[in-house]
Amino acid sequence: MDSVKDPVCGMTVNPQTAKGGHTDYNGQTYYFCNPKCKAKFEQNPESYLNKTTNHSHSHHSQPNHAHSDHAHSTQIIHASNAEYTCPMHPEIKQIGPGACPICGMALEPILITDAPEDDSELKDMSKRFWFGVALSVPAMFLAMSAHDLHGFLARSSKWIELVLSTPVVVWAGFPFFVRFWASLKHRNLNMFTLIGLGVLVAYVYSLVAVLLPGLFPPSFHDPRTGGVATYFEAASMIVTLVLLGQVLELRARNRTTSAIKSLLGLSPKTARRIELNGAENDVPIESVIVGDRLRIRPGEKIPVDGVVLEGASSVDESMVTGESIPIEKAVSAKVIAGTINGTGSLLIRAEHVGRDTLLSQIVQMVSEAQRSRAPIQKLADTVAGYFVPAVVLCAIVTAVVWFVWGPEPRFAHALVNAVAVLIIACPCALGLATPVSITVAMGRGATMGVLFRNAEAIEHLRKVNTLVVDKTGTLTTGKPTFSALKTFQSFDERTALQFAASVEAASEHPLAAAVVAAAKTSGTVILPVTDFRSETGMGATAVVHAPNSTTTHQTDVGNVTYMNKQNIDVSLAESAVNIWRESGATVVYLAIDKQLAGILSITDPIKDSATAVIRSLQDHGVEIIMVTGDHNVSAQVVAKKLNIPRVFAGVLPKQKRDVVRDLQNQGRIVAVAGDGVNDAPALAQAQVGIAMGTGTDVAIQSADVTLVKGDLSGILKARSLSERTLSNIRQNLFFAFVYNSIGIPIAAGVLYPFFGLLLSPIIAAAAMSFSSVSVISNALRLRSAKL
């Protein structure tokens, strides 16, 4: 069977020996180099198969597709039939808003947009809340002053409370009863199960007490009025206070996605397009297609991802990359949609539009990541599964204990305390503890150029004790430059550079780009090639067609390992190669018709931030290991400058993955930082793969964390955000557990024998409502946490 590509990392896989196994999707079988790749694929196959919606930056957008894609995106933004999901149960999806059948919470739109917020539920809950306040407050005061009433008011107060409370329970509380019934129907007991039970018990008991008081024994009747005690005010105030909690919670939840909405708001609505006749017109952003030329005037936002054709300016990219210093842009520089042009004027060519822009990819990646589940949430899920039945049982036990052993009036005490137990318990706070923190953290990371693929990456990053780093593009700038060329065996320098650049023009490697750039700078013509073949991390072979001739030459370009594999003698270059490598340069060999034709020296400066970042990580107990395909001598020069003691040089992509696996077998928690195709298998193998946003699509697809700017300082930000987020989640879970552990016994009356204190169901309702709000408010602190 022929080899196939792993859809996650791009690694070539033999189906018969695929270590990651295989899976079927839509009638197609996919094979994987690694179980982790398979797990990622099964979690979200479309993100790896559909190039218009995946996490990478598509480099193959066609003009006609670009227009239709963006139009489709716009339709999704404004359509009323958008897909909604539950923040606590992402497996629940439906068209349009509604309530989760599992937990009863309000669903949220899957696609975050900059369209006006759908606040219909907030308005509805607010209207019901103020209606409840208007009627339940008088009912409560009437109940509190019952002992001071005389005559007609004393005899009719219960009927007045019935009239005031019934609309509150029936109309204002109607959404809760709908969710209560759904919880019973779907056998998913939740917060609304407890609220529904508590309100129904209090209201139905009171209704029977007013309409049919003769059903109750004499001990239940008040000697003064002859009536039976009622709890209409408790039922109506419980509904009103739960509505208040819903209003506050909906408002707070809207704020958790504010960071993503602010990113969406960056994109301008129009662009200034230069037509074929030279005229300049402002057009809607939806009509811009790949290849259009756009004018960016001083102070304007850049509408699409593109490349500068004319002009020079500084561009503020802080809103996308987190870099506070404006970046200088000149001809051939890349620009990002949503960033702000400085004082210069730029002419750009559109390269990515609509959903293919980096800004759109960031928003989509963060939106999907927010709906993922962190491993720590399993604890909350397990507890929540037993929580509601346990609370109902506790309420029953409370009622029995008070009815059998409590003071008179026993039935009243039993009823009130059982209702208080039902109402104060809040599984919602327990379930929200993790998702809201993850949502806020994802948004915070996106605004500073750190993208997490899922919640698991946030949890694992803080535990990393070993960081494996690639050299080129990770520790170095990834923008290598050609510095020298030496030829052998009568080949002239112009011919050598021309043949090398012609082969490298088909490669994606940064070293290849340096050779091609040098050829173009010198005016060298790139020759046509056929039969191009490459081996990732080693080199490439092609047949180069000589100019003005039918003659062809097999040309090999690569490292010394590749040349040895092609049986090409490179001993003539040994002395020159050693001198270049000792200066830190990377050497590329060129062979024409199996004869050594020359060697090229490529230099790549170390990133400015690398030294400080490496030192900081080492100070935090993280061991740094360099693993590179470059020669050991060149790698050691960089390692020495950065004080990296362990170096694996001259390794192939598969060997990089093996190095990571060996470290994991030693019990280490490994993160890998890389930017190239040759890093993809290692990124997939690691517990946390970190891709430079300036790197290849395959590397970004294989990674758990993407640093948009491609700066190593992003690792420190990501690690700090990981620590803060997990700390915030633990605080939320602690609060939820402690709240319920203390609140339920107090509501059951455990303090009564010692202090004579009982918890009113009204106070229990207020406490329950504010518990969820407090969890969300604590999560929102991540928006301003110092990293």
Side-chain angles (χ1 to χ4, degrees):
M1 188 180 290
D2 294 336
S3 295
V4 296
K5 291 283 188 181
D6 182 324
V8 175
C9 69
M11 183 96 173
T12 300
V13 179
N14 184 336
Q16 296 178 337
T17 60
K19 294 182 179 179
H22 66 276
T23 190
D24 294 329
Y25 181 72
N26 284 348
Q28 178 79 26
T29 300
Y30 298 93
Y31 295 87
F32 305 91
C33 70
N34 184 286
K36 190 172 180 181
C37 284
K38 180 183 177 183
K40 287 184 177 181
F41 180 84
E42 290 176 339
Q43 185 178 14
N44 193 353
E46 289 299 328
S47 67
Y48 299 103
L49 300 179
N50 188 347
K51 294 298 181 184
T52 64
T53 59
N54 66 13
H55 304 307
S56 63
H57 317 156
S58 171
H59 291 284
H60 305 285
S61 303
Q62 299 299 322
N64 58 331
H65 292 161
H67 192 179
S68 63
D69 276 355
H70 192 89
H72 178 60
S73 176
T74 306
Q75 290 170 6
I76 292 176
I77 288 175
H78 297 291
S80 60
N81 61 343
E83 193 172 19
Y84 281 66
T85 187
C86 174
M88 287 167 56
H89 302 92
E91 68 273 17
I92 299 298
K93 294 179 182 178
Q94 71 173 43
I95 300 300
C100 174
I102 297 177
C103 65
M105 286 185 64
L107 301 181
E108 297 177 344
I110 287 179
L111 182 66
I112 301 174
T113 73
D114 60 350
E117 187 75 38
D118 181 6
D119 58 354
S120 56
E121 183 176 18
L122 176 59
K123 289 180 178 178
D124 180 61
M125 289 293 182
S126 298
K127 182 168 64 175
R128 293 175 189 273
F129 165 69
W130 289 114
F131 179 83
V133 169
L135 296 182
S136 60
V137 170
M140 184 180 70
F141 279 113
L142 187 61
M144 291 172 62
S145 57
H147 291 285
D148 299 324
L149 299 176
H150 301 281
F152 173 78
L153 274 178
R155 293 190 301 274
S156 60
S157 63
K158 301 300 181 184
W159 289 95
I160 297 174
E161 288 180 40
L162 169 62
V163 171
L164 291 173
S165 299
T166 298
V168 178
V169 173
V170 175
W171 183 79
F174 181 74
F176 303 150
F177 292 116
V178 170
R179 298 177 191 184
F180 165 66
W181 175 248
S183 73
L184 299 179
K185 180 180 177 182
H186 296 100
R187 297 180 182 178
N188 288 310
L189 305 185
N190 54 46
M191 163 180 135
F192 294 98
T193 312
L194 304 179
I195 293 171
L197 279 176
V199 173
L200 279 176
V201 167
Y203 179 79
V204 171
Y205 165 80
S206 301
L207 185 64
V208 174
V210 170
L211 299 179
L212 301 168
L215 294 179
F216 295 86
S219 60
F220 280 65
H221 292 258
D222 187 328
R224 188 173 65 90
T225 63
V228 179
T230 60
Y231 300 95
F232 288 118
E233 84 289 353
S236 60
M237 281 303 296
I238 288 170
V239 169
T240 302
L241 288 168
V242 173
L243 282 167
L244 174 60
Q246 290 289 295
V247 169
L248 295 176
E249 182 181 318
L250 287 169
R251 287 179 179 174
R253 278 167 59 185
N254 287 343
R255 292 167 60 197
T256 62
T257 56
S258 60
I260 303 305
K261 290 181 179 294
S262 66
L263 283 176
L264 283 165
L266 295 175
S267 183
K269 307 304 179 190
T270 61
R272 193 167 186 83
R273 183 168 63 194
I274 300 178
E275 310 295 349
L276 294 177
N277 61 4
E280 297 187 11
N281 297 312
D282 289 328
V283 297
I285 192 67
E286 294 87 352
S287 67
V288 176
I289 62 174
V290 174
D292 278 351
R293 294 184 303 153
L294 306 174
R295 175 78 65 193
I296 314 298
R297 291 167 291 190
E300 287 186 332
K301 289 181 180 179
I302 296 171
V304 298
D305 292 356
V307 61
V308 177
L309 300 177
E310 294 178 10
S313 183
S314 59
V315 175
D316 180 1
E317 298 183 343
S318 59
M319 60 289 297
V320 176
T321 66
E323 174 56 57
S324 58
I325 301 174
I327 309 299
E328 296 298 323
K329 303 290 184 180
V331 175
S332 298
K334 302 284 187 180
V335 292
I336 304 171
T339 55
I340 302 174
N341 185 28
T343 56
S345 178
L346 298 174
L347 177 65
I348 70 169
R349 181 180 66 247
E351 290 197 331
H352 302 293
V353 300
R355 289 183 294 176
D356 289 334
T357 64
L358 175 61
L359 186 60
S360 296
Q361 298 291 349
I362 288 174
V363 171
Q364 181 177 338
M365 184 174 178
V366 173
S367 297
E368 292 181 1
Q370 287 176 342
R371 295 192 296 275
S372 63
R373 301 169 77 79
I376 195 173
Q377 194 169 341
K378 292 178 182 178
L379 172 63
D381 290 344
T382 301
V383 173
Y386 297 97
F387 186 81
V388 175
V391 171
V392 173
L393 179 62
C394 184
I396 294 172
V397 172
T398 299
V400 171
V401 169
W402 278 94
F403 186 74
V404 175
W405 292 288
E408 293 292 349
R410 292 180 178 179
F411 187 83
H413 281 108
L415 178 70
V416 169
N417 291 316
V419 169
V421 169
L422 290 171
I423 296 302
I424 199 168
C426 188
C428 189
L430 196 61
L432 281 173
T434 299
V436 291
S437 295
I438 293 296
T439 296
V440 177
M442 294 290 184
R444 176 70 192 281
T447 59
M448 60 185 191
V450 177
L451 306 180
F452 292 94
R453 182 175 295 279
N454 50 45
E456 186 177 3
I458 290 185
E459 182 166 343
H460 284 165
L461 185 57
R462 68 188 179 91
K463 303 175 185 176
V464 167
N465 53 28
T466 305
L467 175 64
V468 173
V469 289
D470 178 44
K471 182 175 77 70
T472 305
T474 303
L475 294 175
T476 62
T477 61
K479 298 177 181 178
T481 56
F482 168 80
S483 57
L485 169 64
K486 181 175 178 60
T487 59
F488 303 94
Q489 302 179 132
S490 74
F491 286 96
D492 63 90
E493 291 188 0
R494 188 177 183 279
T495 300
L497 181 59
Q498 185 177 43
F499 274 60
S502 299
V503 176
E504 296 284 46
S507 174
E508 90 295 333
H509 200 281
L511 298 181
V515 176
V516 174
K520 290 181 177 178
T521 301
S522 65
T524 301
V525 177
I526 303 297
L527 301 175
V529 302
T530 55
D531 297 332
F532 176 85
R533 302 185 307 278
S534 68
E535 290 195 38
T536 303
M538 294 181 64
T541 298
V543 174
V544 179
H545 296 257
N548 304 318
S549 169
T550 58
T551 306
T552 60
H553 301 274
Q554 181 178 338
T555 306
D556 298 278
V557 183
N559 58 25
V560 66
T561 305
Y562 187 71
M563 291 296 154
N564 291 336
K565 188 174 181 179
Q566 303 300 321
N567 296 317
I568 297 170
D569 183 11
V570 295
S571 57
L572 282 174
E574 187 173 351
S575 59
V577 166
N578 290 337
I579 294 173
W580 283 355
R581 282 175 177 160
E582 287 173 0
S583 66
T586 298
V587 178
V588 176
Y589 293 83
L590 168 68
I592 300 176
D593 296 328
K594 296 296 183 180
Q595 298 295 314
L596 179 66
I599 54 174
L600 299 88
S601 173
I602 311 292
T603 56
D604 189 6
I606 295 173
K607 289 180 179 177
D608 294 337
S609 61
T611 303
V613 171
I614 295 298
R615 184 187 305 117
S616 179
L617 288 170
Q618 289 172 334
D619 290 344
H620 283 83
V622 179
E623 181 180 3
I624 311 298
I625 300 173
M626 182 196 296
V627 181
T628 177
D630 206 350
H631 192 276
N632 184 58
V633 175
S634 301
Q636 289 291 350
V637 172
V638 174
K640 186 176 181 180
K641 291 179 180 178
L642 295 175
N643 192 30
I644 299 176
R646 293 186 67 184
V647 176
F648 293 85
V651 297
L652 301 176
K654 181 180 180 301
Q655 293 172 322
K656 283 190 176 184
R657 183 183 64 189
D658 292 341
V659 169
V660 174
R661 184 183 291 121
D662 290 342
L663 291 168
Q664 290 172 328
N665 290 338
Q666 297 170 22
R668 295 171 180 253
I669 299 175
V670 182
V672 172
D675 75 326
V677 173
N678 58 328
D679 299 313
L683 289 168
Q685 174 67 39
Q687 277 99 338
V688 182
I690 303 172
M692 303 295 116
T694 50
T696 63
D697 290 352
V698 173
I700 293 170
Q701 267 192 299
S702 304
D704 302 295
V705 182
T706 299
L707 308 180
V708 176
K709 186 188 172 188
D711 194 325
L712 282 172
S713 61
I715 296 178
L716 295 179
K717 294 178 182 177
R719 184 178 172 87
S720 178
L721 182 59
S722 170
E723 292 172 344
R724 290 297 185 95
T725 303
L726 265 294
S727 174
N728 191 273
I729 290 173
R730 284 194 295 266
Q731 291 166 5
N732 286 345
L733 288 173
F734 175 79
F735 174 81
F737 280 124
V738 169
Y739 164 81
N740 285 297
S741 299
I742 296 176
I744 292 174
I746 292 176
V750 72
L751 297 180
Y752 184 81
F754 306 101
F755 306 103
L757 294 177
L758 289 176
L759 189 66
S760 164
I762 296 174
I763 302 300
M768 184 276 293
S769 296
F770 284 102
S771 63
S772 296
V773 177
S774 64
V775 165
I776 296 174
S777 300
N778 186 53
L780 287 171
R781 293 192 306 113
L782 285 170
R783 296 194 305 174
S784 57
K786 187 175 180 180
L787 302 176

